[in-house]
Amino acid sequence: MVDPILPFDTYPMRPPGFVAALGPTVVVAPHPDDEALGCGGLLALLRQANVPVAAVLVSDGSMSHPNSALFSATARRAVREAEFRHALTLLGLDDDAPLLLGLPDGRVPSSVAEPRFAEAVAQLRAFLEKHAAATVLVPWRRDPHPDHRATSRLVQAALAEMPQPPRRLEYLVWAWERAAPEDLPTAQDDVQGFRVNIEAGLRQKGRAIAAHRSQVAPGVFTDDADGFLLSEAMLAHFAVPAEVYFEAVAP
């Protein structure tokens, strides 16, 4: 497959002050590290502006190194949740407040026919209502990872049950590396893409990414040679002073 020409760097840039219009925000991360990679700069800017932010972790994160003998699945989950909480602290969030759904890493349910989908939707809705969310940050609906797409569907289902759903901004993670042409926005999606200047939050974002030590070389689960680590090429996409978002065009 020929790599698609990604349009993201051509999107209009919004200034850091854009965050003032977002109001209380909830970020929904499929895995520990997605919050830092996809929208860590925006989260830092929100907290710098004293805007309330809360976080949801969807999966248990245990499958990045499934062949580790030194770390059981339970131990891997504990390590990754601790990294998630630490990263939130570095971004200025309260590390005691996240909602941990604990859904199976690699098998996040994507429809009501699957176990735990309805339960997760109910938890998400309750969390959004508890925090009076005006904005929710969620992976791009076709970000090329099944858990990211499933997370988008969970949030979509939760918002559909709310009489006044929050504004929805969709962030990129794997689209930078794995997007096929059909994964990119089309006219049928009726969304607009834009970038946010996150220069004032870039240092915090970098520290938050580094806090996910199990996902960055040399790693933590070092007895699984086939385990996942973020490549230098992948990390380079998130070391720039801008983040890309999509938002549905208002009717």
Side-chain angles (χ1 to χ4, degrees):
M1 181 184 76
V2 177
D3 290 340
I5 298 175
L6 301 177
F8 308 143
D9 289 339
T10 68
Y11 291 165
M13 184 77 77
R14 298 189 180 181
F18 162 76
V19 303
L22 298 182
T25 298
V26 170
V27 55
V28 184
H31 311 97
D33 73 6
D34 290 320
E35 81 297 333
L37 295 166
C39 51
L42 183 59
L43 297 177
L45 292 180
L46 285 164
R47 293 304 301 128
Q48 289 173 20
N50 293 316
V51 176
V53 181
V56 178
L57 177 59
V58 173
S59 80
D60 62 19
S62 64
M63 291 302 289
S64 68
H65 293 75
N67 300 315
S68 174
L70 296 177
F71 293 84
S72 66
T74 300
R76 295 194 301 272
R77 173 175 177 168
V79 167
R80 298 211 64 194
E81 287 182 358
E83 291 173 346
F84 181 69
R85 292 178 183 275
H86 185 204
L88 295 181
T89 300
L90 293 172
L91 294 170
L93 280 70
D94 181 354
D95 70 335
D96 294 325
L99 170 63
L100 307 178
L101 293 178
L103 296 172
D105 189 358
R107 293 181 291 113
V108 172
S110 61
S111 76
V112 71
E114 297 179 66
R116 300 184 65 183
F117 182 89
E119 175 189 0
V121 168
Q123 289 178 279
L124 279 168
R125 176 181 175 176
F127 192 77
L128 291 167
E129 291 175 342
K130 172 185 175 183
H131 290 277
T135 300
V136 60
L137 306 176
V138 61
W140 163 239
R141 64 195 69 176
R142 290 194 299 279
D143 204 46
H145 187 297
D147 285 348
H148 290 217
R149 298 185 181 203
T151 295
S152 176
R153 295 187 186 107
L154 285 168
V155 173
Q156 181 179 12
L159 299 186
E161 295 181 354
M162 300 177 69
Q164 293 184 308
R167 182 178 184 177
R168 173 175 168 171
L169 300 185
E170 302 177 52
Y171 60 86
L172 299 176
V173 178
W174 284 107
W176 288 104
E177 289 283 304
R178 300 178 180 175
E182 59 269 24
D183 297 328
L184 302 178
T186 67
Q188 287 70 36
D189 292 314
D190 203 22
V191 300
Q192 59 182 355
F194 61 91
R195 293 175 293 161
V196 177
N197 182 336
I198 61 153
E199 185 172 5
L202 185 59
R203 179 173 295 183
Q204 283 177 266
K205 176 175 179 167
R207 293 174 62 201
I209 292 172
H212 293 280
R213 294 180 54 243
S214 66
Q215 308 302 293
V216 180
V220 172
F221 312 125
T222 54
D223 63 325
D224 182 355
D226 296 323
F228 172 80
L229 292 174
L230 289 160
S231 69
E232 289 299 320
M234 179 67 169
L235 288 168
H237 297 298
F238 306 103
V240 297
E243 289 173 343
V244 176
Y245 295 90
F246 298 106
E247 183 173 18
V249 177

